[in-house]
Amino acid sequence: MKKYPVTKPYFTDEEIQLISDSLNSGWVAQGPKVAEFEKQTAKHEGISEGVATTSCTTALHLAMVAYGLKAGMDAIAPAFTFVATTNAIVMTGAVPVLCDIRQDTFNIDTENLRQIIENQYESKNGRLINKKTGNVLWGIVPVHEFGLCCDIYEVNKLATEYNLTVIEDAACALGAKINGIHQGAFGNASCISFHPRKSITTGEGGMVLTDDSNLAKRMRELRTHGSTVSADARDKGKGFLLPEFNEAGYNYRMTDVQGAMGLAQIKKLDTIIEEKRKGAVIYNELISDILPEFITPVEPEGYFHTYQSYVCMLNLEVLGIGSVEEGGKYRNTLLEKLEAIGIATRQGTHAVHMLGYYKNRFGYVSEDYVNAYACDHLSITLPLYVGISRDDQEDIVRNIRKTVDAM
């Protein structure tokens, strides 16, 4: 049987040419190609500034530090997300406070978000204070999961009501929109990823998008050890003197080799998203027709899903399975059998509260965030990438059908 990866990057000769140009120029550290990649990515999303980094994790950390998140503070994040979201909060010295999600969208449940703010915090001197720890509630880090924007308008409404900061974790969501407005253009800084599983890639890499020029300037300084002058600017002036360093920063710089790859990739973004959306329509049709054991992903009215990943849920009722735990065992066996016949799959992502560090530190149990726990156990990511054909997708779904029937 033909083998199907869960995803793969889409490259042409243009990446090779631009990377070669970068190598031949002798400028391979952060420089002019990174600057142009920042400009083109921000332009695509309708945002004024892009600040490239080594990963989305460092993008999140950079934005959080620039916005003043630190020890003695809390930041609320969804319980179903890749661990980088909460790890970035921990890296600042702050405490992540988890919020449950909606099973249909995989995104933060804004009703639960309000409950957490109102029940776990009290107002003192114009700030929200954690009733148990005394920490100040700094803000919210919502995630646009798998290429679908969360209900960011309601998140922003709550943030305005309670004077909180919002940083959007848009690692998966470059190109995602609500009513034509791109992620990152909702009034907050957003952080995107260029990992190979994302719609476009620079190998590793990330970026903060913002319309706040002062914030962008501060993040550019922080990502270069706290330098007040970039290497690119030094090259155009008196480069023999080192710049001033007024604070301790980080080395979060993207290389120009990566920037060159990114310049080729950003030109392909709309094509990649279009192809993935076509593939999602085909999966929706095939699964609805022959695989009722799977629940297909949703795209609410007015939302534009990029399908960075095509993630389904097992339908326990159709399967006749009585618990999430049993469903998880069934899911894992199914994925193992599919891998054996050449179909690569993944769970969607994980429930943070069930990961060792967070479980041990905070004493979480599965029932603390029931929807996140269910999605951790029952989600399945199917192969989707540029170049997958309808015949391929029919073959995949047909073999899943055979495998389910044999279990």
Side-chain angles (χ1 to χ4, degrees):
M1 178 184 169
K2 183 176 179 179
K3 290 191 174 183
Y4 301 102
V6 71
T7 190
K8 60 181 178 181
Y10 174 50
F11 297 134
T12 63
D13 290 342
E14 189 170 11
E15 281 82 3
I16 296 171
Q17 183 59 56
L18 286 174
I19 290 171
S20 178
D21 291 346
S22 182
L23 296 176
N24 290 332
S25 75
W27 194 308
V28 293
Q30 180 178 282
K33 283 191 167 54
V34 169
E36 184 61 22
F37 179 45
E38 291 172 331
K39 179 180 176 181
Q40 294 303 321
T41 304
K43 180 180 178 182
H44 185 278
E45 300 296 89
I47 299 163
S48 60
E49 303 273 1
V51 181
T53 60
T54 55
S55 68
C56 188
T57 310
T58 55
L60 284 163
H61 183 237
L62 193 68
M64 290 171 184
V65 171
Y67 268 120
L69 183 61
K70 59 186 178 181
M73 295 181 174
D74 290 347
I76 301 174
F80 185 68
T81 182
F82 187 63
V83 71
T85 310
T86 49
N87 280 355
I89 296 169
V90 170
M91 287 163 62
T92 70
V95 175
V97 174
L98 300 181
C99 177
D100 213 349
I101 61 155
R102 292 171 53 115
Q103 286 193 38
D104 57 348
T105 64
F106 301 111
N107 281 324
I108 194 165
D109 182 340
T110 55
E111 291 183 8
N112 186 227
L113 177 59
R114 178 177 287 279
Q115 290 169 0
I116 289 170
I117 295 170
E118 294 180 349
N119 295 336
Q120 296 185 25
Y121 295 86
E122 58 186 349
S123 181
K124 290 184 179 180
N125 301 319
R127 300 188 300 177
L128 288 177
I129 307 299
N130 190 307
K131 294 177 182 178
K132 290 184 177 179
T133 68
N135 277 3
V136 175
L137 181 58
W138 164 89
I140 310 163
V141 188
V143 178
H144 303 310
E145 198 62 83
F146 308 134
L148 179 69
C149 288
C150 71
D151 186 356
I152 190 64
Y153 290 114
E154 187 62 27
V155 172
N156 282 349
K157 179 181 175 182
L158 285 166
T160 299
E161 183 178 345
Y162 290 102
N163 194 29
L164 303 174
T165 301
V166 175
I167 294 174
E168 300 169 32
D169 182 340
C172 303
L174 183 63
K177 295 177 276 191
I178 304 176
N179 296 323
I181 299 174
H182 282 262
Q183 63 75 32
F186 299 113
N188 315 305
S190 75
C191 301
I192 53 181
S193 172
F194 303 117
H195 182 273
R197 277 199 62 183
K198 304 306 187 286
S199 294
I200 64 171
T201 185
T202 56
E204 290 281 2
M207 192 177 293
V208 185
L209 299 175
T210 180
D211 282 322
D212 185 334
S213 59
N214 290 326
L215 178 68
K217 179 178 181 294
R218 174 156 168 71
M219 289 190 293
R220 289 190 178 106
E221 293 172 356
L222 283 171
R223 76 174 172 187
T224 311
H225 305 286
S227 169
T228 56
V229 182
S230 71
D232 193 18
R234 282 177 59 206
D235 186 62
K236 295 172 182 175
K238 296 180 180 180
F240 50 83
L241 292 177
L242 291 174
E244 182 59 79
F245 295 86
N246 294 318
E247 63 180 318
Y250 314 95
N251 183 358
Y252 285 170
R253 294 168 296 186
M254 176 182 281
T255 70
D256 248 31
V257 176
Q258 293 171 290
M261 184 187 295
L263 282 172
Q265 286 276 286
I266 193 66
K267 295 178 183 178
K268 299 179 173 71
L269 176 59
D270 289 338
T271 297
I272 291 168
I273 292 173
E274 182 181 1
E275 290 300 304
K276 286 194 167 189
R277 283 177 60 82
K278 287 178 181 176
V281 170
I282 292 169
Y283 270 139
N284 289 345
E285 172 194 323
L286 294 171
I287 290 170
S288 296
D289 286 347
I290 68 172
L291 202 58
E293 293 85 355
F294 280 36
I295 301 170
T296 56
V298 303
E299 184 181 50
E301 185 176 354
Y303 285 65
F304 182 85
H305 200 321
T306 65
Y307 295 98
Q308 175 265 326
S309 293
Y310 184 87
V311 183
C312 300
M313 286 280 283
L314 284 183
N315 190 326
L316 297 187
E317 184 178 352
V318 172
L319 286 166
I321 296 175
S323 71
V324 168
E325 288 75 16
E326 288 302 311
K329 292 176 183 177
Y330 180 96
R331 192 273 312 270
N332 294 347
T333 300
L334 173 60
L335 301 195
E336 184 177 4
K337 289 180 179 295
L338 292 176
E339 184 175 18
I341 60 173
I343 300 174
T345 56
R346 298 287 187 276
Q347 73 182 97
T349 190
H350 39 226
V352 174
H353 71 294
M354 289 290 96
L355 299 175
Y357 172 82
Y358 294 95
K359 190 175 182 179
N360 294 335
R361 178 177 173 182
F362 298 105
Y364 292 127
V365 295
S366 58
E367 294 80 10
D368 287 334
Y369 307 97
V370 293
N371 290 331
Y373 184 70
C375 291
D376 177 295
H377 280 58
L378 306 178
S379 58
I380 299 176
T381 307
L382 298 184
L384 183 62
Y385 44 85
V386 174
I388 195 169
S389 67
R390 183 183 181 96
D391 286 345
D392 292 334
Q393 292 179 267
E394 289 177 350
D395 190 37
I396 290 166
V397 175
R398 186 167 53 248
N399 276 282
I400 295 174
R401 174 75 269 161
K402 290 179 181 178
T403 305
V404 168
D405 288 342
M407 287 178 66

